[in-house]
PDB file of all heavy atoms in Angstrom:
ATOM      1  N   GLY D  53      -9.425  -1.009 -13.341  1.00  0.00           N
ATOM      2  CA  GLY D  53     -10.752  -1.026 -13.938  1.00  0.00           C
ATOM      3  C   GLY D  53     -11.768  -0.326 -13.066  1.00  0.00           C
ATOM      4  O   GLY D  53     -12.588   0.463 -13.555  1.00  0.00           O
ATOM      5  N   VAL D  54     -11.704  -0.581 -11.745  1.00  0.00           N
ATOM      6  CA  VAL D  54     -12.637   0.074 -10.822  1.00  0.00           C
ATOM      7  C   VAL D  54     -12.434   1.584 -10.850  1.00  0.00           C
ATOM      8  O   VAL D  54     -13.407   2.366 -10.893  1.00  0.00           O
ATOM      9  CB  VAL D  54     -12.439  -0.484  -9.392  1.00  0.00           C
ATOM     10  CG1 VAL D  54     -13.188   0.365  -8.394  1.00  0.00           C
ATOM     11  CG2 VAL D  54     -12.950  -1.898  -9.306  1.00  0.00           C
ATOM     12  N   GLY D  55     -11.171   2.016 -10.879  1.00  0.00           N
ATOM     13  CA  GLY D  55     -10.891   3.449 -10.934  1.00  0.00           C
ATOM     14  C   GLY D  55     -11.439   4.090 -12.188  1.00  0.00           C
ATOM     15  O   GLY D  55     -12.036   5.171 -12.151  1.00  0.00           O
ATOM     16  N   LEU D  56     -11.270   3.412 -13.340  1.00  0.00           N
ATOM     17  CA  LEU D  56     -11.783   3.975 -14.597  1.00  0.00           C
ATOM     18  C   LEU D  56     -13.304   3.999 -14.608  1.00  0.00           C
ATOM     19  O   LEU D  56     -13.914   4.951 -15.105  1.00  0.00           O
ATOM     20  CB  LEU D  56     -11.269   3.174 -15.793  1.00  0.00           C
ATOM     21  CG  LEU D  56      -9.824   3.416 -16.187  1.00  0.00           C
ATOM     22  CD1 LEU D  56      -9.489   2.645 -17.438  1.00  0.00           C
ATOM     23  CD2 LEU D  56      -9.582   4.882 -16.429  1.00  0.00           C
ATOM     24  N   LEU D  57     -13.927   2.960 -14.027  1.00  0.00           N
ATOM     25  CA  LEU D  57     -15.394   2.932 -14.017  1.00  0.00           C
ATOM     26  C   LEU D  57     -15.962   4.010 -13.097  1.00  0.00           C
ATOM     27  O   LEU D  57     -17.083   4.467 -13.302  1.00  0.00           O
ATOM     28  CB  LEU D  57     -15.887   1.561 -13.552  1.00  0.00           C
ATOM     29  CG  LEU D  57     -15.868   0.464 -14.594  1.00  0.00           C
ATOM     30  CD1 LEU D  57     -16.223  -0.857 -13.963  1.00  0.00           C
ATOM     31  CD2 LEU D  57     -16.865   0.782 -15.671  1.00  0.00           C
ATOM     32  N   SER D  58     -15.190   4.402 -12.067  1.00  0.00           N
ATOM     33  CA  SER D  58     -15.718   5.385 -11.121  1.00  0.00           C
ATOM     34  C   SER D  58     -15.566   6.806 -11.622  1.00  0.00           C
ATOM     35  O   SER D  58     -15.995   7.739 -10.953  1.00  0.00           O
ATOM     36  CB  SER D  58     -14.999   5.251  -9.789  1.00  0.00           C
ATOM     37  OG  SER D  58     -13.727   5.809  -9.900  1.00  0.00           O
ATOM     38  N   ILE D  59     -14.957   6.982 -12.802  1.00  0.00           N
ATOM     39  CA  ILE D  59     -14.663   8.329 -13.289  1.00  0.00           C
ATOM     40  C   ILE D  59     -15.938   9.096 -13.623  1.00  0.00           C
ATOM     41  O   ILE D  59     -15.962  10.311 -13.602  1.00  0.00           O
ATOM     42  CB  ILE D  59     -13.715   8.226 -14.508  1.00  0.00           C
ATOM     43  CG1 ILE D  59     -12.333   8.715 -14.133  1.00  0.00           C
ATOM     44  CG2 ILE D  59     -14.217   9.005 -15.684  1.00  0.00           C
ATOM     45  CD1 ILE D  59     -11.324   8.514 -15.188  1.00  0.00           C
ATOM     46  N   GLU D  60     -17.052   8.370 -13.829  1.00  0.00           N
ATOM     47  CA  GLU D  60     -18.280   8.992 -14.306  1.00  0.00           C
ATOM     48  C   GLU D  60     -18.817  10.041 -13.325  1.00  0.00           C
ATOM     49  O   GLU D  60     -19.225  11.109 -13.731  1.00  0.00           O
ATOM     50  CB  GLU D  60     -19.279   7.859 -14.577  1.00  0.00           C
ATOM     51  CG  GLU D  60     -20.664   8.077 -14.120  1.00  0.00           C
ATOM     52  CD  GLU D  60     -21.431   6.784 -14.206  1.00  0.00           C
ATOM     53  OE1 GLU D  60     -21.104   5.811 -13.505  1.00  0.00           O
ATOM     54  OE2 GLU D  60     -22.357   6.738 -14.991  1.00  0.00           O
ATOM     55  N   ASN D  61     -18.775   9.740 -12.007  1.00  0.00           N
ATOM     56  CA  ASN D  61     -19.157  10.792 -11.061  1.00  0.00           C
ATOM     57  C   ASN D  61     -17.902  11.410 -10.454  1.00  0.00           C
ATOM     58  O   ASN D  61     -17.576  11.223  -9.301  1.00  0.00           O
ATOM     59  CB  ASN D  61     -20.100  10.277  -9.985  1.00  0.00           C
ATOM     60  CG  ASN D  61     -19.749   8.879  -9.564  1.00  0.00           C
ATOM     61  OD1 ASN D  61     -18.671   8.395  -9.903  1.00  0.00           O
ATOM     62  ND2 ASN D  61     -20.609   8.256  -8.817  1.00  0.00           N
ATOM     63  N   TRP D  62     -17.185  12.112 -11.301  1.00  0.00           N
ATOM     64  CA  TRP D  62     -15.856  12.618 -10.995  1.00  0.00           C
ATOM     65  C   TRP D  62     -15.893  13.683  -9.918  1.00  0.00           C
ATOM     66  O   TRP D  62     -15.020  13.755  -9.067  1.00  0.00           O
ATOM     67  CB  TRP D  62     -15.269  13.174 -12.296  1.00  0.00           C
ATOM     68  CG  TRP D  62     -13.996  13.909 -12.158  1.00  0.00           C
ATOM     69  CD1 TRP D  62     -13.827  15.243 -12.065  1.00  0.00           C
ATOM     70  CD2 TRP D  62     -12.696  13.345 -12.085  1.00  0.00           C
ATOM     71  NE1 TRP D  62     -12.510  15.551 -11.950  1.00  0.00           N
ATOM     72  CE2 TRP D  62     -11.800  14.401 -11.964  1.00  0.00           C
ATOM     73  CE3 TRP D  62     -12.200  12.044 -12.125  1.00  0.00           C
ATOM     74  CZ2 TRP D  62     -10.435  14.191 -11.874  1.00  0.00           C
ATOM     75  CZ3 TRP D  62     -10.833  11.851 -12.038  1.00  0.00           C
ATOM     76  CH2 TRP D  62      -9.984  12.918 -11.914  1.00  0.00           C
ATOM     77  N   SER D  63     -16.947  14.505  -9.922  1.00  0.00           N
ATOM     78  CA  SER D  63     -16.917  15.719  -9.118  1.00  0.00           C
ATOM     79  C   SER D  63     -17.011  15.398  -7.621  1.00  0.00           C
ATOM     80  O   SER D  63     -16.334  16.028  -6.816  1.00  0.00           O
ATOM     81  CB  SER D  63     -18.062  16.628  -9.515  1.00  0.00           C
ATOM     82  OG  SER D  63     -19.264  15.890  -9.478  1.00  0.00           O
ATOM     83  N   GLU D  64     -17.866  14.403  -7.240  1.00  0.00           N
ATOM     84  CA  GLU D  64     -18.031  14.154  -5.817  1.00  0.00           C
ATOM     85  C   GLU D  64     -16.932  13.240  -5.281  1.00  0.00           C
ATOM     86  O   GLU D  64     -16.409  13.453  -4.203  1.00  0.00           O
ATOM     87  CB  GLU D  64     -19.380  13.480  -5.556  1.00  0.00           C
ATOM     88  CG  GLU D  64     -20.529  14.166  -6.245  1.00  0.00           C
ATOM     89  CD  GLU D  64     -21.710  13.226  -6.344  1.00  0.00           C
ATOM     90  OE1 GLU D  64     -21.829  12.346  -5.479  1.00  0.00           O
ATOM     91  OE2 GLU D  64     -22.490  13.377  -7.287  1.00  0.00           O
ATOM     92  N   THR D  65     -16.611  12.185  -6.021  1.00  0.00           N
ATOM     93  CA  THR D  65     -15.718  11.175  -5.477  1.00  0.00           C
ATOM     94  C   THR D  65     -14.286  11.449  -5.892  1.00  0.00           C
ATOM     95  O   THR D  65     -14.015  12.098  -6.884  1.00  0.00           O
ATOM     96  CB  THR D  65     -16.121   9.787  -5.974  1.00  0.00           C
ATOM     97  OG1 THR D  65     -16.124   9.828  -7.392  1.00  0.00           O
ATOM     98  CG2 THR D  65     -17.479   9.421  -5.480  1.00  0.00           C
ATOM     99  N   ASN D  66     -13.360  10.905  -5.072  1.00  0.00           N
ATOM    100  CA  ASN D  66     -11.942  11.110  -5.364  1.00  0.00           C
ATOM    101  C   ASN D  66     -11.244   9.759  -5.359  1.00  0.00           C
ATOM    102  O   ASN D  66     -10.474   9.451  -4.470  1.00  0.00           O
ATOM    103  CB  ASN D  66     -11.322  12.059  -4.349  1.00  0.00           C
ATOM    104  CG  ASN D  66     -11.805  11.760  -2.965  1.00  0.00           C
ATOM    105  OD1 ASN D  66     -12.420  10.723  -2.736  1.00  0.00           O
ATOM    106  ND2 ASN D  66     -11.523  12.633  -2.042  1.00  0.00           N
ATOM    107  N   TRP D  67     -11.544   8.937  -6.357  1.00  0.00           N
ATOM    108  CA  TRP D  67     -11.078   7.563  -6.312  1.00  0.00           C
ATOM    109  C   TRP D  67      -9.721   7.350  -6.933  1.00  0.00           C
ATOM    110  O   TRP D  67      -8.992   6.471  -6.497  1.00  0.00           O
ATOM    111  CB  TRP D  67     -12.074   6.652  -7.033  1.00  0.00           C
ATOM    112  CG  TRP D  67     -13.329   6.468  -6.286  1.00  0.00           C
ATOM    113  CD1 TRP D  67     -13.901   7.351  -5.427  1.00  0.00           C
ATOM    114  CD2 TRP D  67     -14.155   5.316  -6.308  1.00  0.00           C
ATOM    115  NE1 TRP D  67     -15.040   6.822  -4.931  1.00  0.00           N
ATOM    116  CE2 TRP D  67     -15.223   5.587  -5.455  1.00  0.00           C
ATOM    117  CE3 TRP D  67     -14.088   4.099  -6.978  1.00  0.00           C
ATOM    118  CZ2 TRP D  67     -16.233   4.660  -5.248  1.00  0.00           C
ATOM    119  CZ3 TRP D  67     -15.085   3.202  -6.775  1.00  0.00           C
ATOM    120  CH2 TRP D  67     -16.155   3.469  -5.915  1.00  0.00           C
ATOM    121  N   ILE D  68      -9.399   8.116  -7.963  1.00  0.00           N
ATOM    122  CA  ILE D  68      -8.203   7.795  -8.740  1.00  0.00           C
ATOM    123  C   ILE D  68      -6.957   7.837  -7.862  1.00  0.00           C
ATOM    124  O   ILE D  68      -6.101   6.948  -7.928  1.00  0.00           O
ATOM    125  CB  ILE D  68      -8.072   8.770  -9.926  1.00  0.00           C
ATOM    126  CG1 ILE D  68      -9.185   8.489 -10.938  1.00  0.00           C
ATOM    127  CG2 ILE D  68      -6.752   8.616 -10.613  1.00  0.00           C
ATOM    128  CD1 ILE D  68      -9.058   7.161 -11.607  1.00  0.00           C
ATOM    129  N   GLY D  69      -6.867   8.833  -6.979  1.00  0.00           N
ATOM    130  CA  GLY D  69      -5.719   8.920  -6.096  1.00  0.00           C
ATOM    131  C   GLY D  69      -5.623   7.708  -5.194  1.00  0.00           C
ATOM    132  O   GLY D  69      -4.551   7.129  -5.010  1.00  0.00           O
ATOM    133  N   ARG D  70      -6.773   7.293  -4.645  1.00  0.00           N
ATOM    134  CA  ARG D  70      -6.751   6.120  -3.769  1.00  0.00           C
ATOM    135  C   ARG D  70      -6.385   4.862  -4.527  1.00  0.00           C
ATOM    136  O   ARG D  70      -5.689   3.988  -3.993  1.00  0.00           O
ATOM    137  CB  ARG D  70      -8.104   5.951  -3.118  1.00  0.00           C
ATOM    138  CG  ARG D  70      -8.341   7.006  -2.088  1.00  0.00           C
ATOM    139  CD  ARG D  70      -9.661   6.798  -1.445  1.00  0.00           C
ATOM    140  NE  ARG D  70     -10.247   8.101  -1.159  1.00  0.00           N
ATOM    141  CZ  ARG D  70     -11.326   8.250  -0.410  1.00  0.00           C
ATOM    142  NH1 ARG D  70     -11.922   7.199   0.081  1.00  0.00           N
ATOM    143  NH2 ARG D  70     -11.790   9.437  -0.175  1.00  0.00           N
ATOM    144  N   VAL D  71      -6.873   4.762  -5.789  1.00  0.00           N
ATOM    145  CA  VAL D  71      -6.510   3.587  -6.596  1.00  0.00           C
ATOM    146  C   VAL D  71      -5.006   3.540  -6.819  1.00  0.00           C
ATOM    147  O   VAL D  71      -4.376   2.484  -6.669  1.00  0.00           O
ATOM    148  CB  VAL D  71      -7.272   3.619  -7.935  1.00  0.00           C
ATOM    149  CG1 VAL D  71      -6.675   2.641  -8.910  1.00  0.00           C
ATOM    150  CG2 VAL D  71      -8.721   3.309  -7.722  1.00  0.00           C
ATOM    151  N   ILE D  72      -4.405   4.709  -7.120  1.00  0.00           N
ATOM    152  CA  ILE D  72      -2.948   4.737  -7.348  1.00  0.00           C
ATOM    153  C   ILE D  72      -2.215   4.339  -6.070  1.00  0.00           C
ATOM    154  O   ILE D  72      -1.281   3.535  -6.096  1.00  0.00           O
ATOM    155  CB  ILE D  72      -2.511   6.130  -7.830  1.00  0.00           C
ATOM    156  CG1 ILE D  72      -3.104   6.424  -9.205  1.00  0.00           C
ATOM    157  CG2 ILE D  72      -1.015   6.224  -7.909  1.00  0.00           C
ATOM    158  CD1 ILE D  72      -2.939   7.848  -9.614  1.00  0.00           C
ATOM    159  N   ILE D  73      -2.666   4.887  -4.915  1.00  0.00           N
ATOM    160  CA  ILE D  73      -2.023   4.543  -3.625  1.00  0.00           C
ATOM    161  C   ILE D  73      -2.115   3.040  -3.370  1.00  0.00           C
ATOM    162  O   ILE D  73      -1.147   2.390  -2.971  1.00  0.00           O
ATOM    163  CB  ILE D  73      -2.717   5.318  -2.487  1.00  0.00           C
ATOM    164  CG1 ILE D  73      -2.211   6.735  -2.461  1.00  0.00           C
ATOM    165  CG2 ILE D  73      -2.502   4.646  -1.164  1.00  0.00           C
ATOM    166  CD1 ILE D  73      -1.270   7.039  -1.363  1.00  0.00           C
ATOM    167  N   LEU D  74      -3.318   2.475  -3.629  1.00  0.00           N
ATOM    168  CA  LEU D  74      -3.527   1.053  -3.360  1.00  0.00           C
ATOM    169  C   LEU D  74      -2.626   0.198  -4.249  1.00  0.00           C
ATOM    170  O   LEU D  74      -2.025  -0.783  -3.784  1.00  0.00           O
ATOM    171  CB  LEU D  74      -4.998   0.722  -3.616  1.00  0.00           C
ATOM    172  CG  LEU D  74      -5.553  -0.534  -3.004  1.00  0.00           C
ATOM    173  CD1 LEU D  74      -5.199  -0.568  -1.547  1.00  0.00           C
ATOM    174  CD2 LEU D  74      -7.041  -0.549  -3.153  1.00  0.00           C
ATOM    175  N   ILE D  75      -2.482   0.593  -5.538  1.00  0.00           N
ATOM    176  CA  ILE D  75      -1.655  -0.191  -6.453  1.00  0.00           C
ATOM    177  C   ILE D  75      -0.186  -0.133  -6.033  1.00  0.00           C
ATOM    178  O   ILE D  75       0.503  -1.159  -5.982  1.00  0.00           O
ATOM    179  CB  ILE D  75      -1.853   0.300  -7.899  1.00  0.00           C
ATOM    180  CG1 ILE D  75      -3.232  -0.120  -8.392  1.00  0.00           C
ATOM    181  CG2 ILE D  75      -0.785  -0.242  -8.812  1.00  0.00           C
ATOM    182  CD1 ILE D  75      -3.595   0.464  -9.695  1.00  0.00           C
ATOM    183  N   ILE D  76       0.292   1.084  -5.672  1.00  0.00           N
ATOM    184  CA  ILE D  76       1.695   1.207  -5.227  1.00  0.00           C
ATOM    185  C   ILE D  76       1.903   0.368  -3.963  1.00  0.00           C
ATOM    186  O   ILE D  76       2.913  -0.328  -3.813  1.00  0.00           O
ATOM    187  CB  ILE D  76       2.037   2.686  -4.962  1.00  0.00           C
ATOM    188  CG1 ILE D  76       2.052   3.473  -6.267  1.00  0.00           C
ATOM    189  CG2 ILE D  76       3.383   2.815  -4.295  1.00  0.00           C
ATOM    190  CD1 ILE D  76       2.204   4.939  -6.063  1.00  0.00           C
ATOM    191  N   PHE D  77       0.909   0.400  -3.078  1.00  0.00           N
ATOM    192  CA  PHE D  77       0.995  -0.343  -1.831  1.00  0.00           C
ATOM    193  C   PHE D  77       1.086  -1.847  -2.087  1.00  0.00           C
ATOM    194  O   PHE D  77       1.927  -2.542  -1.502  1.00  0.00           O
ATOM    195  CB  PHE D  77      -0.242  -0.001  -1.006  1.00  0.00           C
ATOM    196  CG  PHE D  77      -0.230  -0.620   0.335  1.00  0.00           C
ATOM    197  CD1 PHE D  77       0.647  -0.164   1.287  1.00  0.00           C
ATOM    198  CD2 PHE D  77      -1.067  -1.658   0.630  1.00  0.00           C
ATOM    199  CE1 PHE D  77       0.667  -0.740   2.520  1.00  0.00           C
ATOM    200  CE2 PHE D  77      -1.048  -2.232   1.860  1.00  0.00           C
ATOM    201  CZ  PHE D  77      -0.177  -1.773   2.807  1.00  0.00           C
ATOM    202  N   ILE D  78       0.234  -2.354  -3.028  1.00  0.00           N
ATOM    203  CA  ILE D  78       0.280  -3.783  -3.353  1.00  0.00           C
ATOM    204  C   ILE D  78       1.631  -4.145  -3.945  1.00  0.00           C
ATOM    205  O   ILE D  78       2.234  -5.154  -3.565  1.00  0.00           O
ATOM    206  CB  ILE D  78      -0.863  -4.140  -4.325  1.00  0.00           C
ATOM    207  CG1 ILE D  78      -2.193  -4.116  -3.585  1.00  0.00           C
ATOM    208  CG2 ILE D  78      -0.661  -5.510  -4.932  1.00  0.00           C
ATOM    209  CD1 ILE D  78      -3.366  -4.320  -4.464  1.00  0.00           C
TER     210      ILE D  78
END
Side-chain angles (χ1 to χ4, degrees):
Chain D
V54 169
L56 284 184
L57 280 173
S58 76
I59 251 174
E60 137 191 64
N61 37 13
W62 172 263
S63 52
E64 312 161 28
T65 56
N66 42 12
W67 288 29
I68 291 293
R70 288 181 216 190
V71 166
I72 294 169
I73 281 255
L74 199 50
I75 288 172
I76 292 173
F77 184 71
I78 287 175

